[in-house]
Amino acid sequence: MKVAVIGAGYVGLTTSACFAHLGHDVVCADLDVERVARLNKGEVPILEDGLPELVAEGLASRRLRFVLGATNAVLDAGVVFLCVQTPESADGSADLSFVEDVAREIAGVLQPGTVVVTKSTVPVGSTRFVQRVLSESGARAEDVTVASNPEFLREGQAVHDFLHPDRIVIGCDDPGAAVRVSDLYRKVQSPVLVTDPASAEMIKYASNAFLATKVSFINAIANLCEAVDADVREVALGMGYDPRIGFQFLQPGPGYGGSCFPKDVAALLHTANQADSDFELLAGVIQVNRAQRERIVEKITNGAGGSLSEAVVAVWGLTFKAGTDDLRESSALAITRRLLEQGAAVRGYDPAAGERAAREVPGLDIAADPYEAAAGADVVAVLTEWDQFRWLDFDRVRDSLRNPAIVDARNLLDPAAMRRYGFRYDGVGRR
Ligand SMILES: NC(=O)c1ccc[n+]([C@@H]2O[C@H](COP(=O)([O-])OP(=O)(O)OC[C@H]3O[C@@H](n4cnc5c(N)ncnc54)[C@H](O)[C@@H]3O)[C@@H](O)[C@H]2O)c1
C-alpha cells in the first residue's frame, strides 16, 4: 500500500522506515530542507538504534523516499499519517496548529478514499477537528476518512517498539477504514484494538499520565524514605515483584521529562478542566515533578558546601534519559539552568547531545569527557543514567575534584563503593 507520512521527526521517521521495512511504499515529508536532503542521502539526524539501517534499506529498495512539503507526499497515497509535533501551549493545552496546517495543506490533493491518520498525540476531539479542517479546506467528507492511531514508542527503542508493539490502537468510526489502517501492520505481531476516535485519543493520554504518575509516586516515596531512613531501591524492588504493580517506572530520579510526559500530562489536565471534571491527582503529579527538580538542586547545593555562588558543578548527562539525544524538557537541563541562575559555574558532559545543550543553555560549558567535566569541581551531579558513568576510574575522578562529593540523581552508582572511594555520596531515597 502507498503510505504518506508527514513529519520526519522521532515518530514520523521511525514510522516511515518501519513501514518501508514491512513492505509498503512510503513517502515521508518534512518542511526542513536540510533534514530532507540529508535523509535522502541516508543520513539520519536523530539517535535511534537500528534506524540508520532501516533508512538505508528503504532507500536502497526504493520503498522509502523523502520529500519537501506534505502535498508532495500525499498525491497518490492511500493512507496518510500525521506525525507532526503537538507542543504545549501557554495554557497547558496541546497546540494543534501544526496538525491543522498539514490538514489545510493536503485537503485539496487527497485521492478519494484516502484515510488520514493522526499519529501525533492529540487531545480528545482531534479526529473530528481534523475532519472538519479537511472539509473546510476542500476535501469532500465522503472521500476522506480520519482515524486516530496513537504511537507508544519509547525514544532510544523506537524501531523495536514500532515493530514489536504491546498493542496497536486504531480509533475510527468507519470499520472499513480501520481495517485499511490495521492491514498496514499485518506483519506485526500485536493485539489490535479498534475503538471510537475519542477513546483512542484518551488511551494515549491516560497511558502517559499513568506512567508519569508512577514516576511522581516513587519520587514521593523516595523522599519519604529519606525522612524515615528506609531505602527506596529495596522498597521499589519489593513493590515491583507484585505483578499488579510491576518494576517499570519505579526508579526515582530528577523527575520525568522528555518531549511527551510533561506536555501530555498538562494537556490531559487541561482537557479535564475544560470538561469540568476534577483531576486533582494530575495537578499533584505535576507539582511533585516540579518539586523533585528543586530537591535535586538542593542536594547539589549541599554537596557543594551549602552555596552555589562561586561553586563549580560538574553535570554528567544532559538528555532527558539515556539512549537518546533528545533534550526536550530534560530534567537535567532544567536543573542545569537553575544551578546557573543561582550563581554556579556548570561544566557538563553528555555522550549524545553536549554541543546542542551548550547552544540551548547560555553559560553552560561542555567538557570532552566526564573526567574533564569533574576536574576542579566542588560536586559532581549524575543527571542522566548513561551506563558509561558506572564504569569510570573513580580514583581519578576523586583526585581531580576540589571537593569529593557526588549527587547521584539517578541512583546509578553504588553508595557503599562510592563511600569507599572517599566520596560524600547522596542519591535519591537511599539510606
Ligand atoms: N517522541 C516520542 O517519543 C513520541 C512518542 C509517541 C508519540 N509522540 C507524538 O508524536 C508527535 C511527533 O513527535 P516527534 O517527537 O516525532 O516530533 P518532532 O518534533 O521530532 O518531529 C516533527 C516533525 O514534523 C515536521 N513538520 C512540522 N510541520 C510540518 C509540515 N507542515 N509538513 C511537513 N513536516 C512538518 C517538523 O519539521 C519535524 O521534523 C507528537 O505529537 C508527539 O507527542 C512522540
Side-chain angles (χ1 to χ4, degrees):
M1 194 174 324
K2 287 202 187 318
V3 175
V5 176
I6 315 304
Y10 287 86
V11 169
L13 187 52
T14 304
T15 301
S16 302
C18 289
F19 273 146
H21 177 68
L22 294 171
H24 306 299
D25 276 332
V26 183
V27 185
C28 176
D30 206 284
L31 287 177
D32 183 331
V33 181
E34 194 195 326
R35 178 169 284 236
V36 169
R38 285 184 62 191
L39 282 167
N40 273 320
K41 285 191 264 174
E43 294 170 20
V44 173
I46 54 175
L47 181 69
E48 272 306 336
D49 224 17
L51 193 55
E53 291 80 357
L54 285 199
V55 168
E57 176 195 280
L59 290 171
S61 66
R62 296 177 184 275
R63 282 199 300 271
L64 179 60
R65 282 190 300 130
F66 297 95
V67 297
L68 200 58
T71 43
N72 291 323
V74 303
L75 290 174
D76 56 356
V79 183
V80 177
F81 284 87
L82 308 186
C83 301
V84 295
Q85 62 270 50
T86 49
E88 186 175 336
S89 305
D91 64 358
S93 64
D95 174 359
L96 290 181
S97 61
F98 295 90
V99 172
E100 181 175 354
D101 286 351
V102 176
R104 289 203 190 287
E105 238 177 290
I106 62 175
V109 290
L110 292 173
Q111 296 298 312
T114 305
V115 187
V116 174
V117 185
T118 44
K119 203 173 238 321
S120 298
T121 302
V122 289
V124 173
S126 300
T127 301
R128 261 185 288 124
F129 169 75
V130 171
Q131 185 89 55
R132 200 183 69 230
V133 173
L134 287 169
S135 304
E136 283 170 7
S137 312
R140 295 190 338 165
E142 58 274 31
D143 280 349
V144 178
T145 311
V146 182
S148 162
N149 173 217
E151 181 52 59
F152 300 96
L153 62 78
R154 295 163 298 176
E155 284 183 18
Q157 285 126 294
V159 168
H160 174 272
D161 289 352
F162 192 95
L163 295 174
H164 307 277
D166 302 314
R167 76 295 209 190
I168 292 163
V169 174
I170 299 168
C172 190
D173 288 327
D174 174 341
V179 168
R180 287 185 69 190
V181 177
S182 71
D183 245 12
L184 291 170
Y185 293 98
R186 66 182 174 279
K187 290 190 187 158
V188 170
Q189 300 276 321
S190 159
V192 176
L193 181 63
V194 178
T195 70
D196 61 281
S199 302
E201 290 158 348
M202 184 57 93
I203 286 168
K204 175 63 191 175
Y205 280 98
S207 301
N208 273 3
F210 185 76
L211 294 174
T213 303
K214 265 186 118 175
V215 174
S216 277
F217 183 85
I218 201 66
N219 280 335
I221 292 287
N223 298 339
L224 189 52
C225 282
E226 286 182 10
V228 300
D229 204 21
D231 190 319
V232 74
R233 295 241 315 180
E234 307 292 335
V235 174
L237 194 64
M239 291 169 68
Y241 277 115
D242 184 334
R244 294 170 301 176
I245 298 172
F247 293 107
Q248 295 203 40
F249 285 79
L250 281 189
Q251 288 79 36
Y256 59 77
S259 68
C260 292
F261 283 10
K263 79 172 172 62
D264 293 349
V265 175
L268 187 59
L269 186 58
H270 185 268
T271 299
N273 290 339
Q274 292 295 100
D276 253 336
S277 176
D278 173 59
F279 211 156
E280 273 302 300
L281 173 64
L282 269 193
V285 168
I286 295 170
Q287 175 49 32
V288 169
N289 203 56
R290 223 175 267 141
Q292 192 66 9
R293 290 177 174 181
E294 285 305 314
R295 200 172 167 95
I296 302 299
V297 172
E298 264 170 46
K299 282 175 181 285
I300 295 169
T301 309
N302 291 339
S307 165
L308 286 172
S309 63
E310 318 266 303
V312 178
V313 180
V315 163
W316 288 353
L318 294 159
T319 52
F320 84 92
K321 65 172 185 178
T324 179
D325 58 354
D326 200 342
L327 293 166
R328 290 177 287 181
E329 292 297 319
S330 161
S331 291
L333 270 201
I335 290 166
T336 298
R337 284 197 184 92
R338 295 285 293 134
L339 298 172
L340 287 162
E341 274 165 27
Q342 293 186 28
V346 184
R347 210 160 41 229
Y349 167 74
D350 187 276
E355 293 305 323
R356 274 193 303 114
R359 285 199 292 276
E360 278 196 26
V361 182
L364 167 64
D365 281 335
I366 290 297
D369 58 45
Y371 301 107
E372 191 183 304
D378 295 289
V379 55
V380 171
V382 182
L383 297 186
T384 308
E385 71 283 20
W386 290 102
D387 199 52
Q388 61 171 259
F389 299 149
R390 286 177 209 268
W391 312 112
L392 298 173
D393 175 349
F394 283 99
D395 284 319
R396 181 176 164 195
V397 174
R398 181 203 55 226
D399 290 347
S400 74
L401 282 167
R402 201 150 64 178
N403 166 39
I406 288 191
V407 172
D408 182 3
R410 297 288 184 167
N411 288 348
L412 189 74
L413 307 170
D414 176 4
M418 288 303 120
R419 289 183 186 123
R420 276 198 302 276
Y421 276 115
F423 290 102
R424 278 191 294 118
Y425 172 92
D426 190 11
V428 180
R430 306 186 86 169
R431 299 181 76 184

